[in-house]
């Protein structure tokens, strides 16, 4: 991640400091999922489970926590519209 904000506040982007402050309060599984997304985004839930070596259920929990904090967003995959892919908001 860069040290400067990626977008303006109007666009809903978080600064890196705000991103890290929110992430700091989350469980280790959410931190690991965020770290994987930092280098490999966008990824599906299955892709995140494969890359992080976490069980699907743990990845789902981590993604829910990250989404609640506004740190991760999702969209439908261009390759397979049945799947969603996840990416960081910073």
């Amino acid at each position: 991640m860069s040290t400067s904000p990626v977008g303006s506040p109007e666009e809903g982007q978080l600064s890196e400091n705000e991103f890290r402050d929110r992430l700091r309060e989350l469980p280790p599984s959410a931190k690991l999922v965020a770290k994987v997304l930092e280098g490999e985004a966008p990824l599906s839930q299955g892709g995140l489970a494969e890359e992080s070596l976490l069980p699907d259920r743990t990845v789902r929990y981590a993604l829910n926590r990250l989404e609640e904090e506004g740190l991760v967003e999702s969209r439908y995959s261009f390759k397979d519209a049945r799947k969603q892919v996840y990416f960081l908001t910073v």
Side-chain angles (χ1 to χ4, degrees), residues 1-6 13-27 30-32 34-35 38-39 66 69-72 88-90:
M1 288 185 275
S2 66
T3 57
S4 62
V6 174
Q13 297 290 323
L14 300 173
S15 70
E16 184 174 349
N17 287 338
E18 186 176 2
F19 182 89
R20 288 184 179 276
D21 287 344
R22 290 184 186 186
L23 189 61
R24 190 170 284 120
E25 303 302 319
L26 295 177
K31 293 173 184 170
L32 177 58
K35 189 66 175 171
E38 185 178 81
L66 289 164
E69 291 295 323
L71 303 177
V72 167
L88 299 176
T89 59
V90 68

Side-chain angles (χ1 to χ4, degrees), residues 31-44:
K31 293 173 184 170
L32 177 58
V33 167
K35 189 66 175 171
V36 169
L37 284 173
E38 185 178 81
E40 305 265 343
L43 283 173
S44 67

Side-chain angles (χ1 to χ4, degrees), residues 28-88:
S29 60
K31 293 173 184 170
L32 177 58
V33 167
K35 189 66 175 171
V36 169
L37 284 173
E38 185 178 81
E40 305 265 343
L43 283 173
S44 67
Q45 182 179 322
L48 282 165
E50 192 174 304
E51 291 294 321
S52 67
L53 303 177
L54 293 171
D56 288 337
R57 185 175 181 174
T58 304
V59 171
R60 189 169 41 252
Y61 172 76
L63 286 170
N64 286 336
R65 294 296 308 272
L66 289 164
E67 283 182 313
E68 287 170 4
E69 291 295 323
L71 303 177
V72 167
E73 292 182 357
S74 64
R75 64 169 166 75
Y76 287 101
S77 171
F78 295 126
K79 293 180 181 178
D80 185 349
R82 297 170 295 174
K83 294 183 180 180
Q84 287 193 318
V85 292
Y86 298 88
F87 54 94
L88 299 176

